[in-house]
Amino acid sequence: MQNVADTAANVGEAVANVAAPVADAMAANTAAVEGAEAAATKFGLIEALNDGGALSWTLFLSMVVMSAVSWYILFTKLRE
């Protein structure tokens, strides 16, 4: 019976030795995914415009208007 108990104890230690690194790897993977999600949401167009302030928004909106006018001119010239 002592051999069975020793074997069970050895198996329990082996499982604990394997489970600890797996748990650490899962925690690291979770942290990496959370970091990637934070990085993905941090560098968007709206975030950049908000960080730049009123000047960035003014420049962006003026460029959108100029682009719309350019496309209008292009299509009206093509119709002529």
Side-chain angles (χ1 to χ4, degrees):
M1 278 304 200
Q2 186 64 22
N3 288 339
V4 174
D6 289 340
T7 304
N10 290 340
V11 169
E13 288 176 16
V15 169
N17 290 339
V18 170
V22 170
D24 292 341
M26 289 177 62
N29 188 26
T30 302
V33 168
E34 290 172 356
E37 289 173 354
T41 59
K42 186 177 179 183
F43 297 110
L45 175 64
I46 301 301
E47 288 82 5
L49 291 172
N50 287 337
D51 286 343
L55 181 62
S56 294
W57 277 103
T58 303
L59 182 63
F60 174 71
L61 292 175
S62 67
M63 291 179 75
V64 167
V65 168
M66 287 188 292
S67 176
V69 170
S70 295
W71 283 104
Y72 174 77
I73 291 170
L74 177 82
F75 285 120
T76 56
K77 293 290 183 180
L78 285 174
R79 286 181 53 193
E80 287 181 0

